[in-house]
Amino acid sequence: MDTAAEGMAPSGFAVEVPGFDGPFRLLADLILDQKIDVCDVPIATVTEGFLRYAKENATWNLEEATWFLAICAVLLELKVSRLTPKTTELDEEDLLGGSPDLAYARSIELRAFRKVATELARRLEDEAGYFARDIGPGPEFAHLYPDPMISVTAEQLSALAAQLLRPPPTVDLSHVTPIRFTVNDAIQAVEEHLARIEEGQATFRELTADCEDRMHVVVRFLALLELYRDGKVELQQAATFGEIEVAWRR
């Protein structure tokens, strides 16, 4: 073991885990050399032991803690990679599980697919010489067309026109709360109220004294938030659910 590594490693820190009892540096080297399975090492127990060692020993330094964290990070990465299940593609033997019945059923399916593929290829080859006709009959056959308007009367046309030109029914919006207050109007009202006060301070209760209903109060509160975001007012609340003090920034 080289001198530089010994200076960086916490040589005085020893661990006692199943299958190993000795310096943590030696344990880390054995794990990295794949001589000890990392899954057998409880890293949480090692970390708790190092914390106790750091509290009891007043000579530990930042290099020791940094080295320990780096080694633990490597061990955690190795342990996670070992414990995480690997995605493997199953081959034909794994899918069938060595069962002759499944193999026979798979052969029947393959035979059916081959038969359908052969039939499709035959049909594509037979129909390759046929093309769709994109135009209708010629003008010499126009007199043979039935007149689509021969059975339509004027009353039917009138009824159809009345149905198409009838205005759509009015949607009932009685259940929707009308918007009578806007945030811009509320901002203007707050600014005017604070401008009338010499100190430029008021409570939220005073600013909403003229509100007609709860929705009006909500809009007034949103206006205060807009003014606070723009840096025009200061808001203070001494206690939870307490009175909100509003001060104008001059």
Side-chain angles (χ1 to χ4, degrees):
M1 187 179 300
D2 59 312
T3 306
E6 291 179 355
M8 294 180 59
S11 57
F13 174 54
V15 295
E16 183 178 354
V17 295
F20 181 84
D21 185 4
F24 178 70
R25 173 70 185 191
L26 178 59
L27 175 62
D29 291 339
L30 293 176
I31 294 176
L32 295 179
D33 293 340
Q34 298 182 356
K35 295 181 179 179
I36 293 181
D37 191 354
V38 68
C39 295
D40 298 334
V41 179
I43 299 179
T45 304
V46 176
T47 305
E48 293 175 357
F50 181 78
L51 293 178
R52 289 194 300 270
Y53 165 78
K55 291 181 181 179
E56 297 172 357
N57 191 354
T59 61
W60 78 285
N61 52 35
L62 183 60
E63 292 184 357
E64 290 185 355
T66 304
W67 182 90
F68 179 79
L69 290 176
I71 291 298
C72 281
V74 174
L75 297 183
L76 280 175
E77 184 177 2
L78 292 175
K79 195 167 187 178
V80 169
S81 63
R82 287 286 307 277
L83 296 177
T84 303
K86 303 296 189 298
T87 56
T88 56
E89 296 183 359
L90 300 178
D91 54 11
E92 188 73 15
E93 184 177 356
D94 294 331
L95 292 175
L96 297 179
S99 174
D101 296 335
L102 291 178
Y104 178 70
R106 179 59 60 87
S107 65
I108 295 178
E109 293 178 356
L110 293 177
R111 189 181 304 113
F113 276 104
R114 290 195 188 98
K115 184 177 180 181
V116 172
T118 303
E119 180 64 18
L120 289 177
R122 185 191 64 79
R123 292 190 180 187
L124 290 175
E125 183 178 359
D126 294 343
E127 304 293 336
Y130 293 89
F131 300 94
R133 182 180 177 88
D134 298 332
I135 59 175
E140 63 274 13
F141 302 105
H143 65 282
L144 300 177
Y145 297 162
D147 187 3
M149 302 296 294
I150 192 171
S151 60
V152 179
T153 62
E155 290 78 7
Q156 293 176 337
L157 287 177
S158 176
L160 181 60
Q163 181 179 359
L164 294 176
L165 298 177
R166 184 182 300 116
T170 304
V171 180
D172 184 16
L173 299 178
S174 58
H175 61 285
V176 179
T177 303
I179 301 176
R180 297 189 298 269
F181 316 104
T182 63
V183 176
N184 292 332
D185 295 340
I187 291 176
Q188 183 178 359
V190 171
E191 292 177 348
E192 293 176 354
H193 188 97
L194 294 177
R196 291 194 300 267
I197 302 175
E198 184 177 355
E199 296 82 1
Q201 296 182 357
T203 63
F204 181 70
R205 191 181 304 275
E206 294 172 351
L207 293 176
T208 56
D210 59 334
C211 294
E212 301 176 0
D213 51 24
R214 183 177 299 177
M215 183 61 64
H216 199 179
V217 176
V218 172
V219 176
R220 191 68 56 89
F221 181 73
L222 294 177
L224 282 179
L225 294 181
E226 290 288 336
L227 291 173
Y228 179 78
R229 185 191 64 178
D230 296 338
K232 296 182 179 180
V233 298
E234 294 182 359
L235 302 178
Q236 293 183 356
Q237 190 176 25
T240 306
F241 303 113
E243 193 68 61
I244 301 176
E245 300 289 339
V246 183
W248 185 261
R249 289 184 177 178
R250 300 184 183 278

